[in-house]
Amino acid sequence: MKFGILGAGSWGCAFANLLVENGHDVLVWARRKEVVDEINNYSKNSYLPNVKLNFKATNDLNEIIEFSEFLVIAIPVQFIRDVIKNIKVWNIKGILNLSKGIENKTLKRVSEIIEEFTNTPYSILSGPSHAEEVANKIPTAVTVSGSNAKLFQSLISNDYFRVYTSEDITGVEIAGALKNVMAIAAGILDGLGGWDNSKAALMTRALHEMIKFGKIFGADEKTFFGLPGVGDLMVTCNSSHSRNRMFGELIAKGTTLNELIKNNKMIAEGIYTVKAVVEIAKKKNIEMPIANEVYEILYNNKNPKYSMVELMRRPLKKEWLI
């Protein structure tokens, strides 16, 4: 099959290599010419510096569409609209989304953004899948949901990358978006002291918030106990590869949000998604204490230690009421 991939970041490139290894033809689109030149001339990318890339890249969006049978989205959620609005003809068999987040200005999930431009069959792939490990062929398991889920499962799975299917697009999208917010909170805890008890409590209650949020939109609670939910939450809250966790840790140690954005080429989706999550929670009257504190720390310069105390002093209740 022919796959066109929008986005030449670490995940887009790792996924491209995976597809090539599975025997597919792959072309990757990158916004910046220097990224395309680096891939085409040297078979490498600064996002994955120690990995040989086995595909070609282009800056031409039309070339990607003409080439592709399937289009893979691997660009930050806040920029998806600005890219796909330039696609004039959607003569492809399906879309596979790898990006995790909620668009700030519309409060829409990726599937809802795509629906504005095309009725091409949509699927999403999500789960604990850091690009650095996939690129090095470390055993990984993920979930795909959508119209072409079984087809993508067969096209993508191999000896080190196992794909399960799900019928819950909404749950998979929401779990992937919210776990990034919760990973920032986990990073903040790491920056404050890295306490095991606190991290375990945080992750458990983070899952509770994710389920509450998802059920408002009709998501299946079981999805959050699978790879897109607790699986991705575990790896993103604990891994040294997690940008969201790392950003949270640096914030707790005194780096400002503006400094983080300015000094990092790679984007931590959670710093943008938290804005949308808090706004939606207010509109839908969803209690999201962890997400709210992350927002206050990032955007109102609240002292993380005060946030921790306020979370601990919330009204006492039974566990796991949704």
Side-chain angles (χ1 to χ4, degrees):
M1 295 292 184
K2 292 184 176 181
F3 283 84
I5 297 182
L6 300 180
S10 58
W11 190 206
C13 288
F15 196 74
N17 261 9
L18 168 70
L19 291 173
V20 171
E21 182 162 337
N22 285 6
H24 305 299
D25 296 324
V26 177
L27 184 64
V28 171
W29 176 86
R31 178 177 55 85
R32 303 200 319 270
K33 184 179 183 300
E34 61 267 27
V35 174
V36 171
D37 290 343
E38 187 178 30
I39 292 172
N40 290 340
N41 297 332
Y42 304 104
S43 298
K44 68 177 185 178
N45 184 327
S46 58
Y47 295 117
L48 288 173
N50 300 315
V51 177
K52 181 182 178 183
L53 304 181
N54 302 311
F55 53 85
K56 294 298 182 182
T58 180
N59 286 123
D60 188 340
L61 200 57
N62 291 326
E63 183 181 359
I64 283 283
I65 299 303
E66 291 174 6
F67 169 88
S68 304
E69 292 177 270
F70 296 102
L71 187 67
V72 178
I73 296 175
I75 52 182
V77 170
Q78 307 307 323
F79 302 108
I80 289 175
R81 178 182 299 274
D82 289 339
V83 174
I84 66 171
K85 72 181 182 183
N86 296 308
I87 299 174
K88 305 305 180 185
V89 179
W90 290 85
N91 55 346
I92 54 177
K93 296 178 180 179
I95 295 169
L96 179 63
N97 174 39
L98 307 183
S99 302
K100 303 170 183 177
I102 300 173
E103 188 178 46
N104 282 342
K105 60 186 176 182
T106 65
L107 307 182
K108 289 186 175 184
R109 304 186 303 277
V110 177
S111 60
E112 296 171 315
I113 300 171
I114 299 299
E115 285 175 355
E116 294 183 28
F117 298 93
T118 178
N119 59 1
T120 302
Y122 171 90
S123 301
I124 178 171
L125 183 146
S126 191
S129 49
H130 281 309
E132 296 84 356
E133 295 197 352
V134 173
N136 285 296
K137 303 181 183 180
I138 303 301
T140 299
V142 298
T143 298
V144 65
S145 181
S147 304
N148 289 316
K150 290 186 178 180
L151 175 61
F152 284 132
Q153 180 185 45
S154 66
L155 295 176
I156 298 167
S157 295
N158 63 22
D159 289 346
Y160 64 88
F161 199 81
R162 181 175 176 84
V163 182
Y164 292 86
T165 61
S166 166
E167 298 177 354
D168 184 17
I169 290 179
T170 300
V172 173
E173 286 191 316
I174 289 176
L178 267 65
K179 63 91 185 179
N180 285 329
V181 175
M182 302 309 171
I184 294 175
I188 290 170
L189 266 184
D190 288 341
L192 291 176
W195 309 296
D196 294 339
N197 290 356
S198 305
K199 178 74 79 72
L202 173 73
M203 291 173 62
T204 304
R205 298 307 297 177
L207 181 62
H208 179 264
E209 285 191 27
M210 291 163 60
I211 293 172
K212 278 197 302 185
F213 191 96
K215 289 180 72 173
I216 292 294
F217 295 92
D220 186 344
E221 183 174 335
K222 293 191 296 293
T223 300
F224 295 87
F225 291 102
L227 291 165
V230 70
D232 213 357
L233 181 68
M234 288 173 66
V235 77
T236 313
C237 286
N238 290 302
S239 174
S240 60
H241 298 306
S242 170
R243 294 190 294 276
N244 291 283
R245 191 210 61 79
M246 179 192 71
F247 272 41
E249 181 174 348
L250 292 173
I251 287 286
K253 292 179 176 179
T255 307
T256 68
L257 181 59
N258 287 337
E259 289 171 341
L260 285 175
I261 294 172
K262 180 180 178 180
N263 296 326
N264 286 273
K265 292 189 299 181
M266 302 176 79
I267 290 176
E269 291 270 23
I271 66 176
Y272 303 104
T273 299
V274 70
K275 288 184 174 181
V277 168
V278 168
E279 186 172 347
I280 292 169
K282 288 179 180 177
K283 290 182 176 182
K284 300 286 187 179
N285 195 29
I286 312 169
E287 191 178 23
M288 302 283 289
I290 298 172
N292 286 335
E293 292 301 330
V294 170
Y295 179 87
E296 289 296 322
I297 292 167
L298 293 181
Y299 293 102
N300 291 326
N301 298 315
K302 186 172 182 178
N303 188 319
K305 293 180 180 179
Y306 296 159
S307 289
M308 182 172 61
V309 171
E310 288 187 18
L311 286 171
M312 295 298 292
R313 288 181 174 174
R314 294 177 63 244
L316 303 177
K317 59 180 69 175
K318 288 184 178 180
E319 187 183 18
W320 216 252
L321 291 176
I322 297 178

